[in-house]
Amino acid sequence: MALRLVQVNLKARDDAALGRFWAAALGWVARGGHGATSAAPEGFDWTDPDAPVCVDAIAVPDPSTVHYRAHLELATTSGAHYLQLVARLQEIGATLADVGQGDGRRTVLADPEGNEFCVLEPRELYRGTGPIGAVAVDCADPQIMARFWGEAMGWTVHEATGDRALLRSANGTGPFLEFARTPHLPGARHRAHLDVVPYCGDTQQAEVARLLGLGASPADVGQGDVSWVVLTDPEGNEFCVLAPA
């Protein structure tokens, strides 16, 4: 039993505009609208177990009232690609952001809705991930998070220290999931969260029960009667378990 990471869900005032931005940023196409717009490769089928992780923009009344704890990190393949991508992202609506990064190995930007993300200088670790190199999550204890998410999704832990934990799918494809120890974490809802789905043959009900046994908790974010189940991980990060198709 395991779960598949389907998408990173971003809050937005205008989901269609944000979906178009991320489609252009990643070289993908935007689909949907009227409250939910996804950015995904041409021909994307979310029920395909080998489908890449995509981005889903969801309209909410006031995304500025929630905080940043998770963000996307975009991979580059060369120094020239890194410079070109940063420039192109600013041309289509991204703005430079200063979050005290200071290491000079990345450029921090904000998308048109203010969601912060990073463009990474080329690194061997992220070669072959696709345009999204990692989904990075601030946390208090990376090892606890690595243990929970590794068991939840059946992902391989590549690194787990007191400061950082790094996971990737067992078949070695797609982006990494990175947990970085961060002091003074915001306690409110977050602008980005993960959506996961059971693999074929597993049920949503069974997977939710398994996640609760691993340390997840039920969450009420005003979702009402919907087909997905909202949970929080051991550090309070919300995520959704979708119903398999």
Side-chain angles (χ1 to χ4, degrees):
M1 300 176 72
L3 293 158
R4 178 167 60 88
L5 178 58
V6 178
Q7 59 199 16
V8 178
N9 186 303
L10 299 177
K11 308 293 190 298
R13 291 184 181 86
D14 185 339
D15 62 284
L18 188 61
R20 288 193 299 270
F21 168 84
W22 278 104
L26 299 169
W28 292 346
V29 295
R31 296 184 180 85
H34 307 291
T37 302
S38 65
E42 186 73 47
F44 175 78
D45 178 2
W46 75 275
T47 65
D48 182 348
D50 296 319
V53 177
C54 67
V55 175
D56 202 32
I58 299 297
V60 296
D62 189 7
S64 65
T65 62
V66 293
H67 292 270
Y68 304 94
R69 192 180 286 188
H71 67 268
L72 296 173
E73 299 199 328
L74 306 189
T76 60
T77 57
S78 67
H81 180 211
Y82 169 75
L83 295 174
Q84 291 165 0
L85 181 57
V86 170
R88 185 170 66 83
L89 290 166
Q90 292 179 83
E91 289 174 359
I92 64 174
T95 54
L96 290 170
D98 183 358
V99 294
Q101 56 272 25
D103 65 3
R105 300 183 63 205
R106 69 191 66 207
T107 297
V108 182
L109 300 170
D111 70 22
E113 289 270 0
N115 298 293
E116 295 163 359
F117 66 98
C118 296
V119 180
L120 304 175
E121 287 190 347
R123 305 179 193 182
E124 188 62 32
L125 179 67
Y126 300 117
R127 194 172 298 279
T129 61
I132 301 175
V135 181
V137 182
D138 296 338
C139 67
D141 191 326
Q143 295 188 54
I144 287 177
M145 295 292 277
R147 185 161 55 248
F148 172 82
W149 282 102
E151 292 183 24
M153 299 197 298
W155 280 26
T156 301
V157 178
H158 288 258
E159 176 184 332
T161 68
D163 292 321
R164 187 176 87 143
L166 204 60
L167 295 81
R168 198 180 188 194
S169 67
N171 62 8
T173 62
F176 285 85
L177 187 58
E178 179 179 350
F179 297 101
R181 188 174 65 84
T182 308
H184 312 303
L185 290 170
R189 293 180 62 195
H190 317 307
R191 294 189 68 159
H193 71 257
L194 306 181
D195 286 345
V196 296
V197 68
Y199 282 95
C200 181
D202 295 330
T203 68
Q204 183 188 52
Q205 182 180 16
E207 283 300 291
V208 167
R210 186 175 69 87
L211 290 165
L212 295 174
L214 292 176
S217 301
D220 184 354
V221 295
Q223 64 266 30
D225 185 14
V226 293
S227 62
W228 57 89
V229 177
V230 184
L231 301 175
T232 59
D233 68 19
E235 289 208 3
N237 298 293
E238 297 158 7
F239 66 100
C240 295
V241 183
L242 308 182

